[in-house]
Amino acid sequence: MSQFTYLLPALVFFVVFFTTGKDFLLATASIMLVMTVQVIIEKIKKGAVEKKLFLTWIALLVLGSATLIFRDPAFLQWKLTIVNWIFSLILIGNQLLKRPPILKSFMQMAGSKDMPKIPSKGWNNMTYLWSFAFFFIGLINLYFIFYSSLTAWVNFKLFGVLGIMFFFVLLNAFYLSKLMAKKADIST
């Protein structure tokens, strides 16, 4: 799936929320519909649904349904923390079980066939970095749930999470460039 496809449900939620006078329930139903369509399209096109998308969709259906039934946004607000903490635990658990790096598999699936040879220590450090990033996003989300307005939380969900992810992408790129430069110095 493309990066835009990952952002589409959040963008739909954001647009519906602000164009309907901050109707959280309609925005929740909209994001549930958009992600369900994404899952169906991916199943038809690829024959399978990517695990990350599937996990996010299941969490959305469960917590989104609870939000709609109980008319309480807290259920959907917690999804961001729960999903990100699950991703963090998967990365750390994979690391502790000494399995091949999940990040490497993701990069290969994303079409990075000509990836530079990154040493195991590099993959380990990037895994810790992204595990921390997911944990941090979940933690900051809790702050916005408990100490800010619903509107501030919606803005954080779109702009704050994007900003944090962009920061960690830059950190990752900086780390990789230093690692590759160090590796080039050693080989010459």
Side-chain angles (χ1 to χ4, degrees):
M1 284 180 61
S2 70
Q3 293 301 331
F4 175 75
T5 309
Y6 280 121
L7 291 176
L8 182 63
L11 289 172
V12 167
F13 180 89
F14 186 79
V15 168
V16 170
F17 182 77
F18 283 108
T19 59
T20 61
K22 301 179 183 173
D23 186 340
F24 195 84
L25 298 177
L26 187 57
T28 299
S30 299
I31 194 173
M32 291 171 70
L33 178 65
V34 169
M35 281 204 70
T36 300
V37 170
Q38 281 183 322
V39 168
I40 291 168
I41 289 171
E42 183 151 328
K43 178 69 175 168
I44 291 169
K45 286 174 87 175
K46 297 181 180 176
V49 178
E50 188 180 287
K51 287 180 185 179
K52 181 180 175 184
L53 174 61
F54 187 75
L55 173 67
T56 304
W57 178 61
I58 293 298
L60 176 63
L61 288 182
V62 170
L63 297 170
S65 295
T67 293
L68 295 175
I69 291 167
F70 296 109
R71 301 185 159 290
D72 185 353
F75 295 101
L76 188 64
Q77 288 176 303
W78 270 88
K79 181 190 80 72
L80 184 63
T81 295
I82 292 167
V83 169
N84 276 283
W85 283 359
I86 288 171
F87 290 157
S88 180
L89 286 172
I90 288 170
L91 288 173
I92 290 296
N94 190 69
Q95 193 80 353
L96 294 174
L97 294 172
K98 307 278 189 217
R99 292 192 174 155
I102 292 175
L103 293 178
K104 186 176 184 179
S105 301
F106 284 154
M107 289 179 87
Q108 288 170 337
M109 284 180 0
S112 303
K113 292 175 178 57
D114 297 326
M115 281 190 325
K117 298 288 184 202
I118 300 170
S120 294
K121 183 178 184 208
W123 287 114
N124 292 343
N125 290 340
M126 287 191 303
T127 298
Y128 291 129
L129 174 72
W130 282 104
S131 181
F132 176 75
F134 290 130
F135 178 79
F136 181 70
I137 289 169
L139 192 64
I140 297 297
N141 185 57
L142 292 179
Y143 170 81
F144 278 91
I145 290 171
F146 293 115
Y147 299 108
S148 72
S149 68
L150 187 59
T151 303
W153 177 82
V154 170
N155 283 314
F156 163 73
K157 182 165 178 12
L158 184 63
F159 300 114
V161 171
L162 271 174
I164 292 168
M165 292 298 278
F166 184 70
F167 174 75
F168 279 97
V169 165
L170 289 177
L171 272 179
N172 198 79
F174 179 74
Y175 172 73
L176 278 177
S177 69
K178 291 289 186 187
L179 186 66
M180 296 288 84
K182 186 177 177 181
K183 186 178 176 189
D185 288 342
I186 292 171
S187 64
T188 56

